[in-house]
Amino acid sequence: MAFSTSWSQYNYHVFLSLRGKDTGKGFGDHLYTALEQAGFHTFRDDDEIVRREELDIELQKAMQESKLFLVVFSKDFASSTWCLDQLVKIMDLRRRSFPHHIVVMPVFYVDPMLVSDQADSYAAAFASHEENSKEKAEIWRAALREVSDLGGMVLQDGYQAEFVQDIVKEVRKKLNRPIVHTPSHLIGIESRIADIDLWLQDSSSVPIGIIYGIGGVGKTTIAKEVFNLSLDRFEASCFLPNIRETSKQPNGMGFLQKQLLNTVLYDKNVKVNNEADGSNKIKDAIGCRRVLIVLDDVGHLEQVNMIVATWDWLYKGSKIIITTRHKRLLKDDKICRKFRIEELGDDESLQLFSQHVFGKANPNDGFMEHSLRAVKYCCGIPLALREWGTFLSDIDISEWNNALDKLEAILHNGIFKVLRVSYDSLKDDLARRLFLHIACFFIGMESDYVTKILDGCELFAKAGIQDLVDRFLLTIGENNRLIMHPLLRDMAREIVRQESPDDPGRRSRLWSHDDSISVLRENTGTEAIRGIILNIQGTMTEGKHHTDPCTSCGKRHSYDDGLICKSTSKRRVLGFMSHEFEMKALQKMRNLQLLQLNYGKLKGNYKYLPRSLIWLSWHGSPLKCMPSCLHLEKLVVLDMQRSSLKHIWHGTKFLPALKILDISACHSLITTPDFSGLPCLEQLVLEDCINLTEVNESIGKVEKLVSLNLKGCRKLRKLPSTVLMLRQLKVIVLSGCLKLDELPHGLDKMESLKVLQADGIAL
């Protein structure tokens, strides 16, 4: 039996199902008459009516065209196979009408426990039914249990006339219930709401449900679905959308309070004088009835507290659903249950995309390759799949490649606006700068390494990174590496691009290969630039193109980690070209903190290198020795892997903030310099310096050194005894030091030392 999802196609307000023999002509007639007099067009199904074929057809048609089913349970209801069959059809119709659930309203003319437990007269009736068909009897039993769980109106010892009027009032409330609109093509919705629906049905469970996840994943849609599904279970329901934005408006919280009161009390004339008055009235309104309230898109806890100040206000069995992008909005698991909304899988993504492009579950012939490309980029985010699908639906296949190139280069505006909400909700400018730095420069890098750099930028990185994780803007993956969803990355980079769309030199961050080359060659940099990266031979020499788990869908996606440009073919051509830049190109970048110039060359006076640098990564540097004119008092990380250094520097170099010095794979390096000017150095990496023969004894003056890595230093003959002076040294790696035939006496007794890797040494 098909179900009509358009409210305008309903011909009956109420479908009344009862057993006339039990309720008597009085109650059934009075109820039917009262409904009609109240303006509710009602179809009456009485099992005592003589059946005709044309009447059965009319009955089936009426069931399809009714908004609300009123089922009256009387003493001998279960003895009527007609009533039981009709109940099965009604409950089946309710399930199949998902997500636009019809209303089923039980009326108990007897004790509800008789119905739910199938006791007394119901037990006797089923004993008789099971003699004929145990299978059919079990179907009827299941329908009775299911309808009993919905609750309903109970006669008890009251007057029938008053009971009839109470039923009419409840019908009026049910038919005026606040159904909320949901998008079409809800792919995979059933599995994502299953746990939430079970929690809603459990009146003894915690009262608060937190639906959380990345922006655009469908939190609001899922909240709407479970709201529509659960309306029958509560005495009053209210869906408050867009809490975050509404609360920013003048008297926004007062407006939300009034909206809640109007809906819960079924009274549009309720007045709210101020927020305190609204809180008091809400307390009274929700403290005496089972309510379902959805607070959609909550940014911070204060917005919840202004509506429901304490969970003690809630009547037993009431539920509040909160949708948010903040995992730790509520930290007390004793009063809340959290539901993370996972992204769509590959098949679900393709189906949703195809529905919006082609109007069916699969792409048209010839479109599969392009569709898979679009789906892969969206990485399971329904918002992106819908936006891209709608955009591409009017474009000829011959233009799809160009259209997809554009969408990948500049984030679709509809997606950008939704995702940017998460960025705008960050608590201060420091948090926003931290997020943009990571999105532009540090995706795929080890968290502790990045934390040291960003702490040098005074961005309080440890707490900031945790906050980004809690808000689903970042994930810590395997090996403690930072992972960001590609759409969030592109949203961040679009924010930076919009700082100066036509002039990259006036943006705060440059990550694009072409933009970085242009600014350095044409000397168009300005003091606006805080970071610039250029990895000229990234894909050919170091394999920096990370393959990381996409945080949003649990699958593996290869995507730009910020160190290389998207155009692989162009990058490979450029990789063989000589990239030499004038030092003066950096002169105007007075606020430059982050500089990566891997395999590039600089010529001119090094005094132009900004003193503001926090991170300098220059893999493959042609320098034989660091220039003496460099003044890098703020430098935290110096990464000179694979460079041509013969000497790191001459004499003593004072770098008071330096925490990490990485000189790995510098094959021309024979000896290390004086380290006494590095009071804060924590990590010294000399791995694969295959011609290194000795480590300067000044290593003993680096009091804060935690890790010393000499792995693969084949010609190293001894380790200076001064390492015994290092009271914070925890890790020494000597693996592969083939000629190392002596270790400092007492090394094994160092109290701080936790790890000593010395496999493959001469000892």
Side-chain angles (χ1 to χ4, degrees):
M1 180 168 55
F3 179 74
S4 171
T5 59
S6 171
W7 288 104
S8 62
Q9 295 181 21
Y10 288 107
N11 288 325
Y12 294 97
H13 294 106
V14 179
F15 184 100
L16 177 60
S17 177
L18 50 78
R19 187 169 194 203
K21 179 180 177 181
D22 265 356
T23 59
K25 296 295 183 180
F27 180 77
D29 287 344
H30 290 159
L31 179 56
Y32 175 80
T33 301
L35 289 167
E36 286 286 338
Q37 288 177 346
F40 299 121
H41 187 30
T42 303
F43 184 94
R44 179 174 178 175
D45 176 31
D46 188 328
D47 72 327
E48 291 191 330
I49 297 176
V50 178
R51 300 297 167 191
R52 302 188 309 274
E53 183 177 348
E54 61 269 23
L55 186 59
D56 286 344
I57 295 173
E58 181 185 351
L59 180 68
Q60 299 302 316
K61 187 172 182 290
M63 292 183 72
Q64 295 183 61
E65 297 175 348
S66 296
K67 288 184 179 182
L68 182 145
F69 287 79
L70 203 59
V71 185
V72 180
F73 291 99
S74 51
K75 179 180 178 181
D76 289 327
F77 180 93
S79 65
S80 170
T81 58
W82 174 265
C83 289
L84 291 171
D85 281 339
Q86 286 301 94
L87 177 63
V88 170
K89 291 177 183 178
I90 289 170
M91 298 310 291
D92 181 60
L93 181 60
R94 179 180 183 271
R95 285 189 297 273
R96 291 192 295 111
S97 68
F98 179 87
H100 303 277
H101 279 298
I102 59 172
V103 181
V104 177
M105 180 178 160
V107 173
F108 296 100
Y109 202 69
V110 292
D111 185 344
M113 297 299 292
L114 297 182
V115 182
S116 59
D117 297 343
Q118 288 134 46
D120 294 346
S121 61
Y122 280 69
F126 272 98
S128 175
H129 295 323
E130 287 174 347
E131 292 179 1
N132 298 319
S133 174
K134 288 187 176 181
E135 182 179 354
K136 196 159 191 178
E138 183 52 40
I139 294 174
W140 290 335
R141 286 185 184 274
L144 285 170
R145 288 192 294 267
E146 184 179 358
V147 75
S148 296
D149 288 341
L150 298 179
M153 306 288 293
V154 183
L155 174 60
Q156 295 180 338
D157 297 325
Y159 293 103
Q160 286 193 8
E162 292 180 359
F163 187 46
V164 167
Q165 291 306 313
D166 288 342
I167 293 172
V168 172
K169 289 178 183 178
E170 191 64 23
V171 167
R172 180 174 288 107
K173 290 180 181 179
K174 297 287 188 183
L175 291 179
N176 289 328
R177 64 181 185 156
I179 293 177
V180 290
H181 171 74
T182 56
S184 58
H185 312 307
L186 299 178
I187 309 301
I189 192 73
E190 291 86 353
S191 63
R192 286 166 175 80
I193 69 171
D195 287 343
I196 305 173
D197 188 45
L198 288 174
W199 164 73
L200 283 168
Q201 292 184 51
D202 184 0
S203 60
S204 63
S205 66
V206 293
I208 314 301
I210 308 292
I211 297 177
Y212 68 97
I214 188 176
V217 76
K219 299 181 294 297
T220 297
T221 298
I222 287 172
K224 288 179 176 180
E225 289 305 304
V226 295
F227 179 81
N228 289 341
L229 172 64
S230 306
L231 289 172
D232 295 350
R233 303 171 185 155
F234 298 88
E235 296 175 65
S237 306
C238 181
F239 190 102
L240 293 178
N242 305 318
I243 299 288
R244 183 199 310 269
E245 288 302 315
T246 304
S247 64
K248 295 177 183 178
Q249 306 302 318
N251 195 35
M253 293 310 300
F255 173 81
L256 291 169
Q257 290 176 330
K258 188 174 186 299
Q259 186 177 350
L260 174 60
L261 289 166
N262 291 158
T263 307
V264 169
L265 298 175
Y266 299 93
D267 183 357
K268 295 184 178 181
N269 297 316
V270 176
K271 293 183 179 180
V272 175
N273 297 319
N274 50 55
E275 292 179 359
D277 178 51
S279 293
N280 289 331
K281 288 178 178 176
I282 289 173
K283 179 181 179 180
D284 293 338
I286 68 177
C288 58
R289 53 175 60 83
R290 292 180 70 245
V291 297
L292 170 62
I293 301 171
V294 176
L295 306 179
D296 175 51
D297 192 23
V298 172
H300 51 79
L301 188 56
E302 289 77 8
Q303 294 166 348
V304 178
N305 292 338
M306 288 304 300
I307 299 173
V308 183
T310 173
W311 317 125
D312 294 339
W313 289 1
L314 295 175
Y315 190 75
K316 183 180 178 181
S318 291
K319 301 287 187 179
I320 294 181
I321 296 173
I322 299 171
T323 71
T324 181
R325 304 185 189 200
H326 200 328
K327 179 181 179 181
R328 297 193 183 184
L329 182 78
L330 276 178
K331 298 179 182 179
D332 188 354
D333 291 336
K334 294 180 181 179
I335 63 167
C336 74
R337 182 171 174 188
K338 298 178 180 179
F339 304 94
R340 177 182 174 180
I341 305 305
E342 300 288 349
E343 292 69 32
L344 299 180
D346 290 338
D347 292 341
E348 292 173 324
S349 296
L350 182 61
Q351 185 178 350
L352 179 59
F353 177 79
S354 299
Q355 288 286 2
H356 284 274
V357 181
F358 311 108
K360 58 180 184 177
N362 295 292
N364 289 342
D365 292 341
F367 282 84
M368 180 61 78
E369 182 180 351
H370 298 85
S371 297
L372 290 175
R373 176 184 171 188
V375 165
K376 182 178 180 180
Y377 179 76
C378 294
C379 209
I381 300 297
L383 167 72
L385 292 162
R386 286 195 298 268
E387 293 285 352
W388 275 40
T390 302
F391 174 78
L392 293 168
S393 62
D394 295 327
I395 296 178
D396 187 83
I397 189 172
S398 62
E399 301 175 12
W400 268 45
N401 271 330
N402 287 335
L404 288 170
D405 286 343
K406 178 182 178 181
L407 287 171
E408 289 176 353
I410 300 177
L411 192 63
H412 185 282
N413 190 52
I415 303 171
F416 174 75
K417 286 181 178 179
V418 171
L419 295 180
R420 176 159 184 159
V421 170
S422 295
Y423 169 80
D424 291 334
S425 71
L426 292 173
K427 52 191 173 185
D428 52 40
D429 183 58
L430 293 180
R432 286 185 277 272
R433 283 166 53 194
L434 178 80
F435 172 67
L436 294 179
H437 272 341
I438 293 173
C440 293
F441 303 136
F442 297 118
I443 295 174
M445 293 192 184
E446 200 269 334
S447 178
D448 292 339
Y449 176 84
V450 176
T451 295
K452 287 182 170 62
I453 296 170
L454 297 180
D455 276 344
C457 299
E458 300 181 342
L459 294 178
F460 306 99
K462 186 174 182 179
I465 286 174
Q466 184 59 55
D467 186 53
L468 295 180
V469 170
D470 292 342
R471 295 173 183 271
F472 278 84
L473 290 170
L474 193 66
T475 295
I476 308 296
E478 294 180 6
N479 300 318
N480 205 32
R481 295 189 177 273
L482 301 179
I483 301 171
M484 186 177 291
H485 191 285
L487 292 178
L488 290 173
R489 173 204 63 199
D490 290 353
M491 175 270 290
R493 295 180 178 182
E494 179 61 13
I495 289 172
V496 175
R497 190 191 71 84
Q498 290 182 5
E499 293 172 351
S500 178
D502 300 322
D503 186 356
R506 296 186 179 278
R507 299 175 194 162
S508 60
R509 298 158 182 85
L510 297 177
W511 64 90
S512 162
H513 183 94
D514 293 343
D515 288 341
S516 298
I517 290 285
S518 173
V519 169
L520 290 173
R521 278 191 174 158
E522 298 173 17
N523 192 16
T524 56
T526 67
E527 60 184 16
I529 298 178
R530 292 181 177 270
I532 181 169
I533 58 175
L534 185 60
N535 195 49
I536 293 169
Q537 295 180 347
T539 54
M540 293 176 289
T541 59
E542 297 190 71
K544 288 284 187 178
H545 194 77
H546 292 290
T547 302
D548 283 312
C550 173
T551 65
S552 63
C553 53
K555 304 183 291 294
R556 297 188 69 83
H557 293 269
S558 179
Y559 58 86
D560 177 14
D561 65 358
L563 305 181
I564 46 185
C565 67
K566 290 186 178 180
S567 176
T568 304
S569 59
K570 181 181 288 188
R571 180 172 60 248
R572 290 184 178 276
V573 172
L574 292 173
F576 291 101
M577 297 172 61
S578 174
H579 284 290
E580 191 171 73
F581 309 101
E582 293 285 346
M583 285 297 307
K584 285 187 177 181
L586 301 173
Q587 184 178 6
K588 299 177 183 177
M589 303 182 196
R590 298 184 184 90
N591 296 313
L592 187 67
Q593 294 179 314
L594 311 170
L595 175 61
Q596 181 187 74
L597 195 63
N598 291 348
Y599 302 97
K601 297 179 181 180
L602 291 172
K603 62 179 181 179
N605 196 328
Y606 278 78
K607 70 178 183 180
Y608 294 121
L609 197 66
R611 292 191 174 196
S612 55
L613 280 180
I614 306 295
W615 176 53
L616 175 58
S617 175
W618 195 358
H619 296 188
S621 167
L623 291 178
K624 306 301 181 183
C625 180
M626 298 291 289
S628 59
C629 61
L630 287 179
H631 299 285
L632 301 172
E633 291 82 2
K634 297 182 179 181
L635 194 67
V636 173
V637 174
L638 177 59
D639 186 351
M640 300 288 288
Q641 299 179 47
R642 299 177 180 84
S643 66
S644 300
L645 290 172
K646 291 184 177 180
H647 306 280
I648 302 176
W649 53 71
H650 293 298
T652 302
K653 190 74 175 176
F654 189 59
L655 298 171
L658 193 69
K659 293 186 177 182
I660 299 176
L661 177 59
D662 192 342
I663 314 294
S664 301
C666 292
H667 294 169
S668 298
L669 190 68
I670 297 175
T671 183
T672 64
D674 186 343
F675 292 116
S676 59
L678 311 178
C680 292
L681 189 66
E682 297 176 4
Q683 297 179 33
L684 177 58
V685 187
L686 295 160
E687 184 175 339
D688 289 331
C689 290
I690 57 177
N691 289 306
L692 183 70
T693 59
E694 64 175 334
V695 175
N696 194 287
E697 291 190 355
S698 62
I699 190 73
K701 296 181 180 181
V702 187
E703 297 180 355
K704 294 186 178 181
L705 193 67
V706 175
S707 174
L708 175 60
N709 186 351
L710 292 160
K711 181 180 179 180
C713 294
R714 305 172 189 172
K715 295 185 179 181
L716 183 69
R717 293 189 175 275
K718 71 173 184 176
L719 197 63
S721 60
T722 52
V723 298
L724 300 176
M725 300 167 59
L726 300 172
R727 301 302 182 210
Q728 298 187 43
L729 187 62
K730 295 181 179 180
V731 178
I732 300 178
V733 182
L734 301 170
S735 304
C737 295
L738 304 178
K739 295 189 177 182
L740 186 64
D741 54 13
E742 182 181 354
L743 290 177
H745 180 68
L747 186 66
D748 58 332
K749 297 180 180 180
M750 288 182 66
E751 293 183 3
S752 63
L753 194 63
K754 305 299 181 184
V755 177
L756 174 61
Q757 295 181 8
D759 51 299
I761 66 174
L763 287 174

